Amino acid sequence: MADTKGYGRNLYALMLAATTAVLSWTIIQPVFSLYIAERGASVIQIGLLYSLISFVPLVIRIPMSVVAERVGRIRMLIIGLGVTAIASFLYAYAQSFTQVVLITLFNSLSTGSFNQTAMSTVSDAAPAQKQGDVMGRYLTFLGIGMMVGPMLCSFLIETLSYRQLLLLSTLFPILGVLLLVNMPPQVPRRVVNQDGKPQLGTVESLRIIMKNRNVMLLSYCRASFASSQAILLALFSIYAVQQLGINESTVALLFTIRGFSNMLTRFPAGVISDRIGRRTPMLIAYGLLTVSFTLIALSGNVIVLGLALALYGVCWGTRAVSEWSLLTDLVEPEIKTISISYLSSVFGFGSTLGSLAAGLLTTIFPYSTIFLLGAALNLGAIPAILAMKKPEP
């Protein structure tokens, strides 16, 4: 098998398959709230839907990780991409908010299993001293999806309806399936006892994770960011279109700017974190996220919003790579998959709270105040980062 920069090409095929999973969502994400509103949903219901998108994967993520190890990671990834394609097709023909909710429950079979399975496989392909590098590469591929999806939405929303955009989104995960079928990466075998069972069970693995002080502080940081991001995703499109008078294409372009800066940052952030450690990039990222949310809250100017979202993307990419790399520093290899699932669930927990809050807070506060609350959430992560101890070698 040919090799590229020390990693097999089949591993890059997996990363590209992960990109297709992201694309299937991000091509519709800038206008998804508006699409759901067309199905008769109120702003509160939209917030509830976004909380459901986060909450159900949170509940099933760890059990799905156990299933993935038993049925095979690659098989699980292929199933997840298939579910994503079917869900996008069903979304396109949903006639009511209730149907959208049911489709979201079905789609959780993918969102609750795909990323941690792919990330664990990628992480196992690199030595401990290169975790930042390989995580940066993998997350850059995800960042490409976060950039290209909104960019396509910006170009196509002028000529395609929401339904047509959703139908287009079904093609990307199908491409991902073809990649994994034709170029499946090698998956390292887990260490097992003589009876064929993993050395550590799920409960024992979680107990070890929960006792790690740094992982708990990292969990708080991720939950804070996830809550603030959920608020932004649920409300920004509605706020920009209905209150600021920005057209849908420009809103999608703003998300493209965020995705572009996010994508560009991820690989160098991984290399830098390998050299200087994880805490400093995280401190900078959370500090500047506070600035980004403040600019979004206080300015209705499109150029300023573009700069704020560009800064948001830089911080998002830096934060994500540093956090995942820190996690792989903190846990033993035999509990890595469960650890990734746990931290993903923490993100889902924060997203659930943020989505619920987004809808409810609109009945009390103006959008600008709600975005300022998002800034405060990110600011609160800084003391937690400062309290982290340097991981033992």
Side-chain angles (χ1 to χ4, degrees):
M1 183 173 64
D3 198 78
T4 306
K5 295 293 184 181
Y7 305 114
R9 291 192 181 186
N10 285 30
L11 192 68
Y12 283 97
L14 169 58
M15 295 182 190
L16 189 56
T19 303
T20 67
V22 174
L23 271 172
S24 68
W25 163 243
T26 56
I27 193 173
I28 190 67
Q29 181 262 314
V31 294
F32 190 68
S33 295
L34 301 170
Y35 172 68
I36 301 306
E38 272 196 357
R39 308 274 78 76
S42 66
V43 176
I44 292 178
Q45 286 176 316
I46 291 171
L48 290 172
L49 179 68
Y50 272 92
S51 70
L52 189 65
I53 290 172
S54 303
F55 178 74
V56 179
L58 181 158
V59 174
I60 69 173
R61 189 165 277 124
I62 291 177
M64 292 295 276
S65 294
V66 176
V67 172
E69 295 296 338
R70 292 180 179 176
V71 306
R73 292 184 191 175
I74 304 306
R75 185 178 301 170
M76 197 72 171
L77 293 172
I78 291 172
I79 292 171
L81 288 169
V83 169
T84 298
I86 294 169
S88 294
F89 181 83
L90 294 175
Y91 273 131
Y93 290 98
Q95 298 297 314
S96 67
F97 178 71
T98 300
Q99 290 180 4
V100 171
V101 169
L102 293 175
I103 297 165
T104 298
L105 293 175
F106 170 71
N107 194 42
S108 297
L109 295 174
S110 175
T111 56
S113 64
F114 187 91
N115 187 56
Q116 70 261 23
T117 304
M119 185 178 293
S120 181
T121 303
V122 169
S123 176
D124 286 344
Q129 68 272 20
K130 287 288 188 178
Q131 287 299 302
D133 178 274
V134 76
M135 285 296 182
R137 293 174 192 271
Y138 172 72
L139 292 171
T140 295
F141 273 80
L142 298 191
I144 291 171
M146 295 172 189
M147 176 194 68
V148 174
M151 181 174 63
L152 289 174
C153 180
S154 177
F155 291 147
L156 297 174
I157 196 62
E158 298 292 341
T159 55
L160 297 183
S161 66
Y162 296 145
R163 173 173 294 174
Q164 290 171 326
L165 206 57
L166 279 162
L167 290 174
L168 177 62
S169 74
T170 65
L171 301 179
F172 298 113
I174 293 173
L175 176 61
V177 170
L178 295 175
L179 283 168
L180 291 179
V181 169
N182 288 285
M183 299 180 68
Q186 295 295 318
V187 180
R189 295 181 61 85
R190 295 184 70 191
V191 179
V192 296
N193 293 322
Q194 292 181 350
D195 59 4
K197 296 181 180 179
Q199 286 185 333
L200 290 175
T202 303
V203 174
E204 178 65 15
S205 297
L206 288 173
R207 187 185 68 80
I208 294 172
I209 293 167
M210 295 292 183
K211 289 177 64 177
N212 190 309
R213 180 174 179 271
N214 279 1
V215 173
M216 293 299 99
L217 291 169
L218 180 61
S219 300
Y220 174 78
C221 296
R222 281 184 66 80
S224 297
F225 173 78
S227 297
S228 67
Q229 177 163 267
I231 290 171
L232 186 77
L233 290 179
L235 300 181
F236 183 77
S237 295
I238 297 172
Y239 167 66
V241 172
Q242 296 183 0
Q243 292 205 3
L244 301 182
I246 301 173
N247 62 45
E248 295 167 334
S249 177
T250 302
V251 171
L253 181 61
L254 291 172
F255 278 104
T256 302
I257 292 170
R258 184 188 68 151
F260 181 70
S261 60
N262 179 10
M263 181 269 296
L264 286 181
T265 304
R266 292 188 168 205
F267 175 64
V271 175
I272 291 170
S273 73
D274 279 339
R275 293 177 179 174
I276 69 172
R278 321 302 185 190
R279 290 203 317 164
T280 299
M282 288 173 61
L283 283 169
I284 295 171
Y286 277 99
L288 293 179
L289 276 167
T290 303
V291 175
S292 175
F293 269 86
T294 302
L295 290 174
I296 292 170
L298 300 181
S299 177
N301 181 276
V302 173
I303 295 177
V304 175
L305 290 174
L307 292 173
L309 287 172
L311 179 61
Y312 183 106
V314 169
C315 297
W316 184 7
T318 302
R319 176 209 60 81
V321 175
S322 300
E323 286 181 356
W324 286 119
S325 300
L326 176 60
L327 178 69
T328 59
D329 294 341
L330 295 173
V331 300
E332 298 298 324
E334 59 266 26
I335 63 171
K336 185 185 297 181
T337 300
I338 293 295
S339 299
I340 291 173
S341 299
Y342 161 77
L343 208 60
S344 297
S345 295
V346 168
F347 197 94
F349 175 73
S351 296
T352 300
L353 293 181
S355 299
L356 285 171
L360 295 174
L361 289 173
T362 57
T363 64
I364 306 172
F365 301 115
Y367 287 103
S368 58
T369 301
I370 299 172
F371 293 141
L372 285 174
L373 291 174
L377 285 170
N378 288 295
L379 184 63
I382 293 177
I385 298 170
L386 293 172
M388 291 179 183
K389 297 179 179 179
K390 184 177 180 180
E392 296 181 2

